Amino acid sequence: MARYIIRRLFTMVITMLVVSIIIFAVVEIAPGNVARNILGAYATPEQEKSMENQLGLDRPVAIRYISWLFGSDWQAERKIGRPLKEIVIQQGTVERFRQWWAVDEDGSLVRWGIQDGQLYKYTRQPDGSTVGVPDEGAWKTDENGVQYFWGVDNANRAVLWVKGQGSVEYRYEYSGWRKFENAPVDYIPLTKGLLRGDAGISLRYRAPVSELIASRLKNSGILAALAFLVSMPMGLLLGLLAGLNEGKPADRIISLFGLVTAASPDFATGIFLIMIFSLWLKILPGATVFASSTAILDNPKMLILPVLTASLVEMGYILRITRASVVEVVQSNYVRTAILKGLTRTQVVLRHVLRNSLLAPITVIMLHVNWLIGGLVVVESVFGYPGLGNFILNAALYKDVYAIEAASMFLILLAVGTQLIADIIYSFLNPRVRYA
Amino acid sequence: MAVDSTMIRITPAQLRWRRFKESVGLIFASPTAVLGLVIVLIWVFIAAFAPYLTHYTPYEQDYKNINKGPSAQHILGTDHLGRDVWARVAFGARTILLLAPISVGVAFLLGMVLGLPAGYFGGWVDELVMRILDSIMAFPTILLYMIIISAVGASPVNVVIAIAIGGAPGIARLIRALTLDIRTREYVAAARLRGDRPVQIMFREILPNCRGPLIVDLLLRIGYAAFYIGTLGFLGLGLPPPTPDWGGMVQEGHKFMTTNVWPVLSATVAIVTLVVGLNLFADGLREETMRYQ
């Protein structure tokens, strides 16, 4: 058993590694590079070049991939010669900023900057302010006599300054482009890497992706859980009814209903429900508008249609598996024996059919998380629901690359992880699998 | 010879005709398949004769009649730009009925190139192919399409590529499983003995014998492809406007649903009937072939 689990874990790690390469390759290497996506068509070539340099996009693909996954701070530490530290700054209750500092010999946190051509060292004070002193002695000299210095600047990057050879830096801010003289010539954006929990900064929201994901994950979780609670019993019940009445009108109606709901695109189901309950009967709101993305339970009425949409699609699927499973069990020898030995129909159904036929759908549903995630993206988009699916769709439309990458990795890990758990549970129940 | 008198000689043409009759019989044996086929054929008819069935092109804008309900001039009304909804639905049928089979065709080619060698050679080739396939299958389908389309941009070709990449692993796995079974047959051993190269064996001996289950699977996949083309259109990742595309019509009309429900209703009914029709057809056929076997 342990060997089986270890083997499966190993395959899962390999799969996730290949998945990460695919995601990275598709998102960052595909035509229309990242800088263009961020800047749009109106940036000048100099601005684009400066931006690429600042984001580290001019570095080799392999290095960028490694930085994305494992972080870039250890690469920068080697260049700077000091350990680096990331601190989290709480502002109010929600807003958070992450700052990178170098740790000086005496343990204080320091950064550097150029003022009037002179190198300044800024030391962080306990109250969060900084005190700057000239640090001209820190310049190093290479074999050609050029003075250079690797340090940390005030925008969470490891940067290379070369004395008297400052390049021009364009920063894209809310107000538009800002030009800086005497800027560094090379940049390494500092990150801890996805594996160490740093998913990068969203290009759209200018906030850490991991926190954006966390708040939306909760909303999606609520939606998925409610949909599960509705669809599971309904699907099993209808599937059982259809399976017990195989070939009769009841079965035909339920089966057709199951096929139509399972085959219809999720958005179509959602649109139909909006038309019926919102436009025609006018009893439910057709979109979800919440005061804040954390307050979705304050107005339960708005949740009804999204939950119903997600459940209907899922229910059609559960219904069909359950029906197939029940039909198989009903034809089995032990059910025939049970009938022949004189048990009543209720007893046969409860004791023999129900128990044996529910195992298959329950395991299959565990394997179905992948599909459910795709459905949630669509349902959330139909109703404007502030969940992870909607978040990732908007990231894709806006080309918020770090958000797409992190959210996809997270969702796929979730899907692969549940699949692994389902497999392990299943192998407990069915020993034949273990030795396959 | 004695044998000759008892043996009925069948020409290849007759054999083909007999096989054809058998497959047609298979379809008509299942009422579900017939119902599905009829629905699909209605859409094929509409798509084929779209210019003769409509009075407007799907692009013509009538600024005086914006977001109007059905009338004598516009049987399904007009959309937010004053375009005839029926024309957009009819021409939208062309889009989806063209793109869905093409993407399944491309997916089939990809799946064949991956699945045949994996099943035939086994060993590390199989291991490598399976790991890649597993990784692609780990993606929630919609997510995979979203990532690809957002990276390469929305266009008919890119939609086809995305849907083909999403569908290929399933087809490759099916072909691999079938190949594993077929490669142990005598006629494959015979081909090997007479010195055929692996490529010849794979394409001449194995692939033709995968036909039965493969055709049913591909038919099912055309339904999925239509499903996803519609969904991508709805998510705003499908065909760029003003191409008539059912998913896109729902996406555009969604905002105006409270004033004019017709563009959204028509496009939604269109996509649901087509996808359900394709599913009924493939499903009915699958059940019938299973019974047949």
Side-chain angles (χ1 to χ4, degrees):
Chain A
M1 191 65 207
R3 257 180 84 182
Y4 173 76
I5 295 176
I6 290 169
R7 199 178 70 200
R8 287 301 318 264
L9 272 175
F10 180 71
T11 353
M12 181 177 147
V13 170
I14 302 270
T15 305
M16 285 312 293
L17 215 60
V18 180
V19 164
S20 73
I21 293 174
I22 295 175
I23 291 181
F24 188 81
V26 174
V27 174
E28 297 209 11
I29 303 173
N33 63 60
V34 180
R36 268 251 158 267
N37 288 344
I38 303 165
L39 302 176
Y42 300 108
T44 64
E46 297 88 62
Q47 288 168 340
E48 200 182 312
K49 204 149 184 280
S50 167
M51 198 74 184
E52 273 184 12
N53 193 358
Q54 289 176 58
L55 291 171
L57 293 170
D58 53 350
R59 304 164 78 212
V61 173
I63 304 248
R64 280 200 285 135
Y65 172 72
I66 290 170
S67 305
W68 171 62
L69 214 53
F70 303 102
S72 61
D73 50 342
W74 45 275
Q75 302 168 33
E77 273 173 6
R78 239 180 278 159
K79 303 222 163 168
I80 295 170
R82 286 188 177 87
L84 299 177
K85 198 178 168 197
E86 189 191 37
I87 57 171
V88 179
I89 289 160
Q90 200 90 24
Q91 223 178 45
T93 49
V94 224
E95 293 269 332
R96 271 178 172 188
F97 291 96
R98 281 152 195 271
Q99 285 184 348
W100 281 95
W101 295 84
V103 182
D104 219 355
E105 283 88 357
D106 57 356
S108 56
L109 299 175
V110 289
R111 278 175 170 177
W112 291 269
I114 298 276
Q115 247 178 10
D116 309 322
Q118 271 202 325
L119 188 65
Y120 271 72
K121 177 154 112 179
Y122 300 97
T123 310
R124 188 173 193 269
Q125 306 299 317
D127 63 346
S129 63
T130 52
V131 172
V133 288
D135 194 19
E136 279 295 291
W139 290 106
K140 291 173 186 144
T141 314
D142 71 358
E143 59 267 28
N144 300 325
V146 178
Q147 287 192 302
Y148 70 96
F149 180 73
W150 270 101
V152 180
D153 77 348
N154 61 357
N156 295 332
R157 301 172 298 200
V159 295
L160 172 65
W161 282 290
V162 174
K163 193 160 193 178
Q165 207 200 72
S167 67
V168 178
E169 175 183 312
Y170 291 92
R171 279 199 203 174
Y172 191 58
E173 295 177 350
Y174 286 114
S175 49
W177 288 100
R178 270 182 75 193
K179 197 169 157 185
F180 293 89
E181 307 280 348
N182 284 328
V185 294
D186 200 10
Y187 304 83
I188 302 177
L190 290 170
T191 162
K192 277 191 159 177
L194 204 55
L195 287 180
R196 284 153 69 205
D198 184 352
I201 305 292
S202 158
L203 299 170
R204 188 177 181 206
Y205 299 97
R206 314 264 165 152
V209 173
S210 42
E211 279 168 36
L212 294 170
I213 289 179
S215 72
R216 281 155 181 89
L217 179 66
K218 197 183 124 214
N219 295 349
S220 287
I222 293 172
L223 181 59
L226 287 173
F228 190 74
L229 283 180
V230 176
S231 61
M232 195 72 182
M234 288 293 289
L236 291 177
L237 188 70
L238 286 176
L240 190 68
L241 272 177
L244 289 176
N245 297 304
E246 197 202 352
K248 291 182 193 157
D251 172 36
R252 292 202 181 261
I253 293 169
I254 296 175
S255 294
L256 188 70
F257 173 72
L259 187 125
V260 172
T261 50
S264 307
D266 320 47
F267 74 87
T269 312
I271 294 282
F272 277 136
L273 289 178
I274 293 178
M275 281 177 190
I276 295 171
F277 290 103
S278 179
L279 296 181
W280 183 37
L281 299 176
K282 295 192 182 8
I283 47 173
L284 291 171
T288 52
V289 185
F290 299 108
S292 84
S293 62
T294 48
I296 54 163
L297 289 176
D298 293 356
N299 198 345
K301 217 175 168 186
M302 283 186 176
L303 282 173
I304 297 178
L305 281 186
V307 167
L308 204 57
T309 310
S311 330
L312 265 184
V313 176
E314 192 62 21
M315 190 179 77
Y317 182 80
I318 300 174
L319 187 162
R320 295 183 75 184
I321 307 169
T322 314
R323 179 186 173 276
S325 171
V326 170
V327 166
E328 204 185 305
V329 169
V330 166
Q331 287 165 351
S332 68
N333 288 331
Y334 54 84
V335 169
R336 194 179 308 146
T337 314
I339 296 170
L340 289 178
K341 81 180 181 197
L343 290 185
T344 63
R345 192 178 152 81
T346 334
Q347 277 174 317
V348 175
V349 170
L350 287 181
R351 268 197 217 155
H352 297 277
V353 178
L354 203 59
R355 273 196 202 172
N356 286 298
S357 56
L358 290 193
L359 197 65
I362 290 171
T363 9
V364 172
I365 287 151
M366 288 281 279
L367 297 169
H368 201 228
V369 180
N370 239 344
W371 206 71
L372 187 72
I373 291 171
L376 279 183
V377 172
V378 179
V379 173
E380 288 177 7
S381 160
V382 172
F383 294 96
Y385 185 86
L388 194 52
N390 217 346
F391 173 73
I392 196 166
L393 173 65
N394 284 323
L397 291 171
Y398 187 85
K399 303 193 174 172
D400 190 346
V401 284
Y402 303 121
I404 302 176
E405 287 170 346
S408 329
M409 282 297 284
F410 177 76
L411 285 178
I412 293 168
L413 187 67
L414 200 71
V416 175
T418 37
Q419 233 164 69
L420 180 73
I421 294 169
D423 279 356
I424 291 173
I425 294 175
Y426 193 68
S427 76
F428 263 115
L429 302 173
N430 187 355
R432 277 173 298 179
V433 180
R434 262 176 272 165
Y435 306 104
Chain B
M1 274 194 352
V3 182
D4 258 353
S5 59
T6 51
M7 211 160 73
I8 305 158
R9 290 186 153 272
I10 302 172
T11 62
Q14 279 175 318
L15 191 67
R16 248 175 275 143
W17 174 241
R18 189 177 282 184
R19 281 210 188 126
F20 176 72
K21 271 204 301 192
E22 268 172 19
S23 359
V24 172
L26 222 54
I27 296 171
F28 285 101
S30 156
T32 333
V34 174
L35 177 65
L37 185 65
V38 168
I39 298 174
V40 174
L41 285 181
I42 290 174
W43 279 118
V44 172
F45 176 80
I46 293 175
F49 298 101
Y52 306 102
L53 297 170
T54 54
H55 298 293
Y56 304 89
T57 70
Y59 308 106
E60 258 173 87
Q61 301 183 353
D62 181 355
Y63 289 110
K64 286 174 198 142
N65 289 306
I66 283 175
N67 267 334
K68 286 281 160 60
S71 62
Q73 289 95 42
H74 303 281
I75 44 172
L76 289 177
T78 56
D79 70 1
H80 65 291
L81 293 175
R83 295 174 296 195
D84 185 54
V85 171
W86 166 238
R88 289 189 70 74
V89 167
F91 282 88
R94 284 189 162 186
T95 315
I96 200 161
L97 283 173
L98 207 64
L99 290 189
I102 291 178
S103 37
V104 173
V106 178
F108 166 67
L109 290 179
L110 279 174
M112 186 178 72
V113 168
L114 290 169
L116 275 177
Y120 185 75
F121 294 115
W124 66 268
V125 178
D126 188 29
E127 196 59 37
L128 182 74
V129 170
M130 290 310 283
R131 284 290 80 78
I132 296 173
L133 294 184
D134 276 351
S135 308
I136 298 178
M137 286 178 112
F139 282 83
T141 318
I142 298 262
L143 186 65
L144 182 65
Y145 296 157
M146 269 167 34
I147 295 173
I148 297 176
I149 300 283
S150 89
V152 297
S155 76
V157 175
N158 290 345
V159 168
V160 166
I161 291 174
I163 292 188
I165 292 176
I171 299 177
R173 273 176 161 250
L174 178 68
I175 293 182
R176 172 185 173 270
L178 292 168
T179 307
L180 279 178
D181 174 35
I182 294 172
R183 74 168 179 185
T184 59
R185 302 282 168 88
E186 274 103 2
Y187 52 80
V188 175
R192 215 175 283 147
L193 273 180
R194 74 173 174 249
D196 282 2
R197 283 176 294 129
V199 179
Q200 282 174 317
I201 296 177
M202 281 191 269
F203 284 95
R204 279 206 206 135
E205 311 293 336
I206 296 178
L207 193 60
N209 286 298
C210 296
R211 184 176 65 221
L214 204 54
I215 289 173
V216 174
D217 186 66
L218 292 182
L219 277 176
L220 261 178
R221 276 171 201 285
I222 292 180
Y224 298 155
F227 177 110
Y228 284 120
I229 290 171
T231 303
L232 280 177
F234 173 74
L235 294 177
L237 294 163
L239 307 183
T243 320
D245 165 41
W246 293 345
M249 285 175 73
V250 178
Q251 151 85 12
E252 286 171 2
H254 191 188
K255 297 183 276 262
F256 306 99
M257 248 168 83
T258 41
T259 46
N260 180 17
V261 87
W262 287 92
V264 179
L265 182 64
S266 320
T268 318
V269 169
I271 184 110
V272 168
T273 48
L274 177 67
V275 173
V276 169
L278 284 167
N279 264 288
L280 283 173
F281 179 53
D283 237 41
L285 205 60
R286 185 180 58 184
E287 266 167 32
E288 211 51 48
T289 47
M290 269 155 72
R291 196 172 304 160
Y292 187 70
Q293 278 158 4

